[in-house]
Structure formats: structure tokens, C-alpha cells
Amino acid sequence: MDHGKSTLSDRILEITGAVDPRLMRAQYLDSMDIERERGITIKAQNVRVRFEDYILQLIDTPGHVDFGYEVSRSLAACEGAILLVDASQGIQAQTLANCYQAIEHNLEIVAVLNKIDLPAADPERCKDELERVLGLPSDEVLSISAKTGEGVAELLRAVIARIPAPSGDPDAPLRALVFDSYYDQYRGVISSIRVVDGTLRDHVKVRMMQAAANHEIEEIGVRTPDLLAVKQLGPGEVGYLVAGIKDVAGARSGETVTEAARPATTALDGYRDPKPMVFCGIYPIDGDDLPDLRDSLDKLKLNDASITFEPESSHALGFGFRCGFLGLLHMEIVRERLEREFNLALIATAPSVVYRAFLTDGSEVDIDNPTDLPDPSRLDHIDEPMLDISILTPSEYLGTVMDLCQSRRAEMKKMDYLSTERVELRYSIPLAEVVIDFFDALKSRTKGYASLDYEVSGYITSSLVRVDLLINHEPVDAFSTIVHKSNADYYGRRMAERLRELIPRQMFDVPIQAAIGGRVIARETVKARRKDVLAKCYGGDITRKRKLLEKQKEGKKRMKNLGRVEVPQEAFVAALKLED
């Protein structure tokens, strides 16, 4: 993360003359507004550049752990990888994870130290770390500054010398891999493809092997980084394909394209579907936007294959979708993209993970929505998903990081000193504890120097309960959540206090209760609005005042029996805000 991948891409585009200097801007390949605002890459972008007498296909990938799926898809379309490390920070947890992925794909790795122009840079220490931790010879590690452009031309020469040219038979039946797609409202689906065997020619009929559908090619071309139409693409070439596909399912990532007249017999391997880790309900604020939300999710899934969604309904929020994401940042980005790119106003419920409930009759059910948890009398036990996490931190923050992990029910597996200044910690931790704000807490406790990587490790039995929130004795399903028994009282109290501030006062007292099963664990009351019925009484008999107060009390009591409390949308949005 933040090692300068997109800045290096900018320098490569400049050196190879791919972009007119007058049109050049920082992070040129980050095309989405969200990417530019947050300063992170979300989508991998591919571009074709010419350097000296060679054609290079470059893919700029994201660095954040939530977008690791983008990285794995990009690695499957490459022959080699540039492993970029910040010369002042050294190896981070994601560096290790992505390097091992590249090694699994048998890719040639060119290790590079960036930011050598910084006063805090320590290239020798970082080279030793790379050799000791990843086994990359320190004399082969290049030093560059992507900001100033120093050493970038030498890096491109090293790429040409070390990374093998793509192999593939130009006369074999056509096989091309779709590794990304997006939806254009005027041209339909535009797919990024890599030709593995054979030659893809313009205006021929192609067959999508998994979707079992034939299409006529309207245009093929390459990104330079602008779209440039060409007549044909040979083995190893990366480009784009437009075939007037309007059905979003027609060109999913991992699809194999072949020629309809001379089809290949076996499809390419494609990709494993990523397993969603975090679930939340997404609902339109205006119920009439539901069909638009469904179409928008369909189109977004084309561009980001790691989202899953299925319809669900809630008493409080109406109809919407239960969506699965790879992590919390992924969830925030998807929600923001839906709102920006498709002009939708949405509410997202609190994030939850998939629990396994084992019933007394011996059956088991997967629970991704807390309201689906069976009655406690039918429950035998609940298992929760666990992660193996790896944290790399400067050793001065070791105590505060260990304190954070222990407060989140984590169990230490291993501790290694990579050098005198840096430590790698390995923990087993419940996914539910990581989901809310673990990453933010880790960053703030280590001044941003720690890094985190995780992988799923299975399920273990845990002491979990469902906390429901009742407003005027009616449960509100959107606020239900599954928490560990030890945190239940705190969660219940905190949510009741927040709702007391958010729910507008009614003409009668509104009780807000947090309950586990039938047992109330916290209560707050929104006090009633009261009219001053004694305003017209000046002096006189106390019985007259008492009579007026009793009459008011009776009226309030009757209202309470008949009244219903509408929870305003703003209260849902504010109460379900993740930051708090």
C-alpha cells in the first residue's frame, strides 16, 4: 500500500511518450473520482506502452488487502511482476502476501525500492530485509524514485531483460481470457482481454465458452491509455473487446473467448470466485428506486466480480438487497460507487459476518442476517468465522498493538523480529472483531506505520447472543446484531443511548430497550412533549390543578397504547454509521 505504484505508472507513461505532456496529471490511470479523492487505487488498469523497440503491457494494481482479488486476477494475465517496496518503510504485510501470490503463479519478480529521494530512506536495510524475508538477492534489487523519475528507464530495461516474452501459438484455435469488464451505456459491455492462443480478428463471430453465447465483434483495440482500435490481437497481447453484449452476465471475468467457426476444445482456467467476508443490507431510501438498485448492482458486479447480492426485506426499511463484500473498505467503496455512478440514495445496515448455527435436531444453518438466527430454545451452539492475521509494525508500537489485539479476543500464534526495528505478529482473531474498525484502530495506534494482511482460517464455537432493539416495545430488525456475550451489555447500552438522541420526541414517553431474548439489558426513554396545562391556573384550589394534570396523564396513556413510533431515515443512517 502507498508505495508509489500509480506514481511509477505515471513516470512509465511519460518516459514511453504514451501520454501528451500537456494532458499529463498525477495518478493518470486512476480514472474514478473516489480513487483520486482517497488517493488509493481500487480498480486494476491496463495500458500498452512502447519502450525502445519493445511493446510492454502494464497493469497498475491496487494495494489494499480488500482489493487483493483485483491483484490475483491481474497476476493471472501476466508473465512477470514489479514488486515495489517503500525504501523508508520497508516490507509491509501486503508485500508478503502479493509476493507469495506472484511466486504461486510462477511469475518472474523484479524487486524495486522506491522513494530513495526521501531523507528517511534506508535502501541498504530494505535490501537486507527483502533478501532475508523473501529470498530475493539484494544485488538484483533496483533503486528508483517514481516521483523524480530517477532509475525508471533502467527499471524498464531490467523488465525487458528478465521477464520472458509471452508464449502462445498464433495458428492454434483462438483462446482469450476476459480479466475485467465494465458497462458502457452506449456500447454495452466492454471487456479487457488477454489473448493466450490464436489470433483475435476484427468483425468475426466469437463464442463465450461459459455463457455458451455467440456474438459479432464490433471493435477490438488496445489501451494506450486511450482506446485505440486495431485489426487483430495476437498471442500475449492485451486489449479490449466490444461485441454489443447488453446482457451483463454475458462477459463475466474469467470467461474464455473463442472463434465460433473454429472453437477451442477446452476453456482457460478462469478464476476462483472470491468468498465474501462481510455482509450488509443495502436499501433504497425511496422504495421506487428498487429496480434501479437491482440494475446498478448487476452492472457493478460486471466491473467488480467479488460482490454478491440477493433480495431481502425488512419491516423497518422495506425491500432491498443483502450484499456480500471482501472487507469493510470494499463495502464503503461499493456503496459510494452506487450512490455516485448511478445517482441512488441508499441506507446500509450494520455489517455482519456469516455465522453457523447448529440446532438441537442436528441440522446446521448459515446465518448472514442476525434476524434469521433461530430461537435460543432450538439452538445447540453457534460457530463464528476466524481469521489468521499478520501485522507488521515498528517494534516501538509492539505493546499498543498487542493490547489492541487482546481487547478484540485475539490469540497470539507467533512473533518474529524481521530486524531490530520491525516485528511481525501473527494472531488468530474472530472476523466479527476485525469487521467494525480494527484496521482504523491499528493505524491510529501506530501512527499509520503498521500494516495488516489476513486470510480465512475456519470456524470455532463461541459464546454468541443476538441483541435486539425495541422501540416502544416493537423490535426493529435493522438494528439487530450478533455479538459476543462479553460485549452484549456495552453494545446494548451504547445503541440505546444513541437512539434516544436520534428519535424525535412524541406526545408520549417512548421506551428504547436492548434485549437478549426476553431479558432487557439496557433502557433509555425519549421523554414526551408536554403542553403546560396549568398555564391558565393562577392561584386557586390545588384540586383544580391536579384534575387538569390527571386528565393530561390519561390522554398520554391512551396515546401510548394507540401510538406508533416512526423511526426517521436520518436516525437509521446516523445509528448505523460505522465510524462510531
Side-chain angles (χ1 to χ4, degrees), residues 126-332:
C126 293
K127 283 181 180 178
D128 290 348
E129 228 173 64
L130 279 165
E131 184 158 23
R132 197 169 57 254
V133 178
L134 292 169
L136 300 168
S138 57
D139 54 339
E140 288 181 13
V141 178
L142 302 172
S143 297
I144 66 160
S145 166
K147 190 174 167 189
T148 63
E150 182 189 338
V152 177
E154 287 72 29
L155 166 61
L156 288 174
R157 291 188 188 102
V159 165
I160 291 165
R162 293 194 212 166
I163 293 177
S167 58
D169 182 356
D171 300 320
L174 170 69
R175 289 198 305 168
L177 179 70
V178 176
F179 64 88
D180 197 11
S181 297
Y182 67 93
Y183 193 84
D184 182 290
Q185 61 180 3
Y186 302 111
R187 307 178 76 186
V189 177
I190 299 181
S191 303
S192 295
I193 56 163
R194 184 218 152 120
V195 180
V196 178
D197 286 318
T199 306
L200 179 64
R201 292 183 178 82
D202 202 5
H203 294 300
V204 299
K205 204 166 223 177
V206 290
R207 181 169 180 77
M208 301 290 182
M209 292 182 78
Q210 288 166 5
N214 291 352
H215 300 280
E216 179 93 27
I217 290 182
E218 291 175 6
E219 182 180 307
I220 56 172
V222 293
R223 286 188 169 88
T224 65
D226 301 318
L227 301 186
L228 174 71
V230 297
K231 291 292 176 205
Q232 63 178 50
L233 292 170
E237 290 196 90
V238 174
Y240 68 88
L241 165 83
V242 183
I245 301 170
K246 294 287 185 279
D247 173 22
V248 171
R252 294 248 184 257
S253 293
E255 177 68 81
T256 302
V257 182
T258 188
E259 213 169 310
R262 191 167 71 117
T265 49
T266 54
L268 296 163
D269 287 347
Y271 307 110
R272 274 203 316 269
D273 273 346
K275 274 210 165 8
M277 318 268 287
V278 178
F279 288 83
C280 84
I282 290 185
Y283 295 85
I285 286 179
D286 179 355
D288 294 343
D289 287 344
L290 187 69
D292 294 345
L293 177 58
R294 183 185 291 108
D295 291 348
S296 306
L297 281 165
D298 260 335
K299 287 172 185 170
L300 203 59
K301 185 169 172 63
L302 181 72
N303 190 231
D304 182 351
S306 50
I307 311 168
T308 63
F309 60 93
E310 55 185 40
E312 75 163 4
S313 63
S314 145
H315 293 307
L317 299 170
F319 291 96
F321 292 91
R322 189 97 197 142
C323 302
F325 309 94
L326 298 182
L328 214 62
L329 177 67
H330 186 213
M331 173 179 141
E332 273 183 54

Side-chain angles (χ1 to χ4, degrees), residues 36 45 76 131 238 292 315 322 336 350 368 412 427 438 518 524 541:
R36 309 189 72 74
Q45 298 287 354
E131 184 158 23
V238 174
D292 294 345
H315 293 307
R322 189 97 197 142
E336 211 167 313
D368 62 18
M412 186 186 274
Y427 277 93
F438 182 81
E524 295 285 339
D541 190 358

